Amino acid sequence: MLTDSHCHLAYPGLQERLDEVLAHMHARGVTRALNICTTLEEFDAVHAIAMRYPGIWASVGVHPDNEWVREPTVADLTERAALLRVIGIGETGLDYFRLGDRTVADMEWQRERFRTHIRAALQVDKPLIIHTRASADDTLAILAEEGQGRARGVMHCFTENWSIAKHALDLGFYISIAGIVTFKNAQALRDVAVKVPADRLLIETDSPYLAPVPHRGKTNEPAYVAHVAQCLADLRGVPVDAMAQQTSDNFTRLFRCDE
Ligand SMILES: [Zn+2]
Ligand SMILES: [Zn+2]
């Protein structure tokens, strides 16, 4: 049993061939996937997929890269989070990678949006799915401050160093590893991934992006989370079945997912 903790099934590349994508998942033993929302506009489509297919769950959130979209209020998030099969808030967080001609000070709108998600997560007591890029210190500072020790969740597609991982773990967060870990040039990430406590580790595809080796450069899909599990199992010297079971158990515990 494998669980893909983060994918975007409503995105082009996956959405138009969902039956095939689901068949590939089941053929590889990937029994569950969390379908991640990135705009309020997209939410109905994301949620409908979770309602239609067994094993698919949904989140609600507005990605920090999506600037010119409807700005969520706490109520927008909590109302949707109360719907059937919605188990997480996100993806949310900060992304200072594409500042263009702006400075970090200009990104207050991202930080305010992130705080809105944390408030919603505390209200409904659901985990946050955190995206952070070129912004880890601010991401963790806001999580600690706004989360008041009660926020929980996962740092998705983790690519930061061990000191950031340690800080996130100390806040009670899980670390999710994506297909990047299979890339030749990702030794630094492998060094971090091997140190994450077994009971805090999740795996994901972030499909349709970031397909793992040997599918690198192609459209990614949840079935390929099997390659992430295999890579981590080899790194950590455990059988792949144990890695699959452990990361699935961790997902069940974090998201209080009853199936
Ligand atoms: Zn992300
Ligand atoms: Zn994502």
Side-chain angles (χ1 to χ4, degrees), residues 131-175:
H131 170 107
T132 184
R133 192 168 187 203
S135 57
D137 290 339
D138 278 10
T139 300
L140 292 171
I142 291 173
L143 257 187
E145 184 189 312
E146 196 72 53
Q148 306 159 39
R150 292 187 294 127
R152 50 197 189 87
V154 53
M155 308 299 291
H156 111 85
C157 194
F158 194 82
T159 53
E160 305 290 337
N161 62 30
W162 176 247
S163 124
I164 300 292
K166 179 79 172 58
H167 190 163
L169 289 164
D170 288 345
L171 288 173
F173 274 68
Y174 288 60
I175 304 283

Side-chain angles (χ1 to χ4, degrees), residues 65-173:
D65 279 348
N66 293 329
E67 191 163 359
W68 306 112
V69 296
R70 191 173 144 200
E71 195 59 41
T73 62
V74 171
D76 286 329
L77 298 170
T78 56
E79 279 162 20
R80 288 165 180 79
L83 298 174
L84 272 180
R85 302 195 76 79
V86 181
I87 57 175
I89 305 289
E91 60 181 292
T92 180
L94 301 176
D95 194 327
Y96 298 160
F97 186 70
R98 288 186 196 81
L99 285 180
D101 51 10
R102 294 173 295 190
T103 67
V104 166
D106 297 326
M107 305 307 274
E108 189 54 31
W109 63 273
Q110 264 193 8
R111 292 184 287 274
E112 198 43 54
R113 181 187 285 178
F114 183 28
R115 288 180 189 277
T116 298
H117 283 78
I118 299 170
R119 287 175 202 137
L122 292 184
Q123 253 184 50
V124 296
D125 191 21
K126 289 195 173 165
L128 288 153
I129 299 119
I130 308 283
H131 170 107
T132 184
R133 192 168 187 203
S135 57
D137 290 339
D138 278 10
T139 300
L140 292 171
I142 291 173
L143 257 187
E145 184 189 312
E146 196 72 53
Q148 306 159 39
R150 292 187 294 127
R152 50 197 189 87
V154 53
M155 308 299 291
H156 111 85
C157 194
F158 194 82
T159 53
E160 305 290 337
N161 62 30
W162 176 247
S163 124
I164 300 292
K166 179 79 172 58
H167 190 163
L169 289 164
D170 288 345
L171 288 173
F173 274 68

